[in-house]
Amino acid sequence: MYIGRLSASPLFFHRGTTIPFPPDSAENGVCTWNWDTVYDTGVDVSLELSGPSFVGAVRLTLADGAEVPCVRILADGKPAGLLDARDSAPLSGTLTIPVGVTASSLIIRIDADLKTIAFTEPEILGAQEDNAPFV
């Protein structure tokens, strides 16, 4: 069993749709959508895992100056994690969203509030069967 950072390639969509939504820029490992592109809707980051995996948490590192009001995690289309700044300052920096479910796919739903969204590649922390001997 492999325990650690799970790999998945991200696809980007308009929040809540299957309409592709590529970043306005993707430089030095940071994907950026300008505020006048996302307005108050946001971005869905779709991640397909190589098979059913236990997802313990998702770590999302926002770029300097980027803030978001809410980040939701959907595991196989069902709510699995939430980090919400409803009653406090917007979320910034490195965000760790607890998940704790087994899933084959994840959606990281990032809300926007007329602010630029910019982040590095999300990290999926969990476990996956790999048929290697357990030592």
Side-chain angles (χ1 to χ4, degrees):
M1 174 165 290
Y2 170 77
I3 299 173
R5 188 175 170 189
L6 305 178
S7 62
S9 296
L11 296 174
F12 306 108
F13 299 97
H14 285 272
R15 187 186 73 189
T17 73
T18 56
I19 300 169
F21 194 26
D24 291 322
S25 70
E27 297 175 2
N28 301 320
V30 177
C31 295
T32 303
W33 289 262
N34 296 318
W35 75 270
D36 58 352
T37 303
V38 292
Y39 296 106
D40 63 346
T41 58
V43 176
D44 277 357
V45 182
S46 177
L47 301 159
E48 290 293 325
L49 303 172
S50 60
S53 305
F54 175 77
V55 179
V58 173
R59 186 175 299 143
L60 187 67
T61 302
L62 300 177
D64 290 340
E67 298 177 332
V68 298
C70 181
V71 178
R72 294 176 179 85
I73 306 296
L74 303 175
D76 293 333
K78 298 176 183 159
L82 170 68
L83 204 54
D84 193 349
R86 184 178 327 221
D87 298 326
S88 64
L91 304 169
S92 61
T94 299
L95 311 175
T96 301
I97 304 102
V99 179
V101 299
T102 299
S104 297
S105 67
L106 296 173
I107 294 175
I108 303 171
R109 182 160 287 164
I110 305 167
D111 290 352
D113 189 17
L114 300 174
K115 296 184 185 218
T116 295
I117 296 175
F119 57 86
T120 60
E121 185 175 338
E123 295 177 76
I124 306 166
L125 309 173
Q128 191 171 52
E129 289 290 333
D130 65 358
N131 297 323
F134 187 75
V135 180

